[in-house]
Amino acid sequence: QRYTPVKFSVRGRDLESTIAEARTKIAAAVHLPYDSHLDWAGEINQLKEAEDRLKVILPVTLLLIAFLVYSAVKNWIDSLIVFVNIPVATAGGVLALLLTGIHFSVSAAMGFISIFGIAVQDAILVVTYFQRLRNVEGLPIREAAREASEKRLRPCLMTTLVAMIGLFPAALSTGIGSQTQKPLAVVVIGGAFLVAVVARAVQPPLLLLAHSWMERRNARRAGPPSMRPGALEEA
């Protein structure tokens, strides 16, 4: 069979929507003769394979993160507070892509997975120190939340700044290979920046509200002093 390749590159837009539009227009305007057919090959096939792998890798990654976070903080309330950083980091990565005009790609998807780890580590530093102040030193909730946010400010900023500064040259690159490393770097920088700014204002109120609610719930479950076991003997 005779084989005629037609090669083209994509500039200024994402690959998947370009191929989808090309398929639609060719199907409407081009009528192939008998015993002829079109095969679409190249990077679009690699993109589909990568997307299929990501559908498996991303849920597994989130499950592993959830297991490790729970093993570190030992309760679901603090685990949820830690996980709040993940949508914050995701929003930062999305905003960075929008501001720079970079289309979503497999490289950008890898950047989102990377920023999940930075966001979780940032939150664990604050939450575990808060637990230590509450459980070991016995500080009130409000004071423990404030001191945890103050004492862990420097380690959290160091974590995010290292990621941002280390990937800054890749985010500014324009040479060969930049289309692979640039989306990842932009996502990580945007997500790390938003985590460094927003998480500092969000985590202390969340700790205060969540643990105050837990104390009120535990007090209601325990009941009034006259109804607790041993209250009559003490009287």
Side-chain angles (χ1 to χ4, degrees):
Q1 292 183 347
R2 179 176 295 177
Y3 171 69
T4 304
V6 178
K7 301 181 180 180
F8 69 97
S9 298
V10 179
R11 296 289 183 271
R13 61 181 296 183
D14 65 291
L15 177 64
E16 189 171 10
S17 67
T18 303
I19 298 300
E21 183 179 348
R23 285 176 182 269
T24 303
K25 290 185 176 181
I26 289 176
V30 177
H31 302 283
L32 296 174
Y34 174 75
D35 202 24
S36 298
H37 65 278
L38 289 174
D39 286 329
W40 295 83
E43 292 185 8
I44 186 63
N45 293 341
Q46 299 173 11
L47 178 62
K48 294 296 183 183
E49 293 174 0
E51 288 178 349
D52 292 338
R53 287 194 296 268
L54 283 174
K55 291 177 182 178
V56 178
I57 293 173
L58 190 58
V60 171
T61 301
L62 292 175
L63 287 174
L64 288 175
I65 290 175
F67 172 75
L68 293 174
V69 168
Y70 184 80
S71 64
V73 300
K74 300 297 188 298
N75 66 76
W76 287 110
I77 294 296
D78 288 333
S79 298
L80 291 175
I81 294 175
V82 171
F83 267 95
V84 167
N85 268 21
I86 289 183
V88 172
T90 303
V94 171
L95 287 174
L97 290 177
L98 290 174
L99 291 175
T100 56
I102 298 176
H103 298 286
F104 183 79
S105 62
V106 176
S107 175
M110 293 297 102
F112 280 106
I113 294 177
S114 301
I115 198 61
F116 289 170
I118 297 174
V120 168
Q121 183 179 2
D122 179 283
I124 285 180
L125 286 173
V126 177
V127 172
T128 53
Y129 192 68
F130 169 83
Q131 290 180 333
R132 174 187 168 189
L133 294 174
R134 283 284 295 151
N135 301 331
V136 178
E137 301 185 16
L139 293 182
I141 297 175
R142 184 181 298 274
E143 186 177 348
R146 182 176 63 250
E147 187 169 343
S149 62
E150 292 175 356
K151 293 292 181 64
R152 286 296 177 261
L153 176 62
R154 184 177 298 176
C156 290
L157 289 181
M158 287 175 61
T159 301
T160 53
L161 285 175
V162 165
M164 293 171 63
I165 295 173
L167 290 173
F168 199 72
L172 297 178
S173 62
T174 56
I176 297 176
S178 61
Q179 69 274 12
T180 301
Q181 61 184 2
K182 191 170 185 175
L184 184 148
V186 168
V187 168
V188 172
I189 291 174
F193 176 77
L194 205 63
V195 166
V197 175
V198 174
R200 304 286 72 79
V202 170
Q203 282 174 349
L206 283 178
L207 288 169
L208 177 60
L209 293 173
H211 283 266
S212 298
W213 173 80
M214 286 178 62
E215 282 199 350
R216 291 194 299 268
R217 186 193 62 174
N218 294 335
R220 287 195 302 267
R221 287 183 176 181
S226 59
M227 299 298 294
R228 295 176 188 168
L232 293 177
E233 287 81 354
E234 293 176 1

